[in-house]
Amino acid sequence: MIVQETGAQVNYIPYSGGGPATLDVLAGHVDGTLITLAAVTDHVRAGKLRALAVTTDYRSAALPDVPTMAEAGLPGFAVESWQGYFAPAGTPGAVVAKINRDIQAVIAAPETRAKLEDMGFKVTGGTPADMARTLTSERLRYARTIQTAGITLR
């Protein structure tokens, strides 16, 4: 999305997760990365990494001095990383509801919420129906980006 909006040329390097990507930036093997805040917040606070911008349309409470992409010069750009829980297709509705209630209770606990927000996560929670709406919306948004970029599976 950033490449499409800016025309920047980047080398895409696939990583198996945030840890290896962070290590390569810290070691100077790559110039930078686009990564979730949770993977790098402590490194930014320690002065080992410099955060250039967050991709959300709001500043992060974990790193409030880091501008948004819009503030940094890319007006209208906003992408939010999110996490979700999934169960196998066919899982009984009562089981899904119980898992959801338990997860909501855990993330609503003040200690858990504070820890997650300190890491850079925005804690919202929701229902399985909320997740279905998010997936539908995200699928449409990313499908356009994938089509425009000409990305295909090999």
Side-chain angles (χ1 to χ4, degrees), residues 114-139:
K115 181 66 175 170
L116 289 169
E117 288 175 351
D118 185 60
M119 293 169 58
F121 289 106
K122 177 182 175 185
V123 181
T124 58
T127 66
D130 294 332
M131 174 64 85
R133 283 189 293 277
T134 296
L135 289 171
T136 297
S137 169
E138 295 284 276
R139 176 177 280 167

Side-chain angles (χ1 to χ4, degrees), residues 49-145:
L49 291 176
R50 179 177 173 213
L52 302 178
V54 294
T55 62
T56 53
D57 61 1
Y58 57 88
R59 287 187 180 211
S60 169
L63 298 170
D65 294 332
V66 177
T68 65
M69 292 288 278
E71 293 171 328
L74 196 54
F77 186 90
V79 173
E80 189 157 352
S81 172
W82 53 270
Q83 311 295 313
Y85 288 91
F86 295 85
T91 301
V95 173
V96 170
K98 166 107 174 75
I99 292 169
N100 187 62
R101 278 192 310 275
D102 292 347
I103 290 170
Q104 298 308 308
V106 169
I107 66 174
E111 183 178 302
T112 304
R113 181 181 210 88
K115 181 66 175 170
L116 289 169
E117 288 175 351
D118 185 60
M119 293 169 58
F121 289 106
K122 177 182 175 185
V123 181
T124 58
T127 66
D130 294 332
M131 174 64 85
R133 283 189 293 277
T134 296
L135 289 171
T136 297
S137 169
E138 295 284 276
R139 176 177 280 167
L140 291 172
R141 181 178 189 183
Y142 288 103
R144 284 189 297 270
T145 301

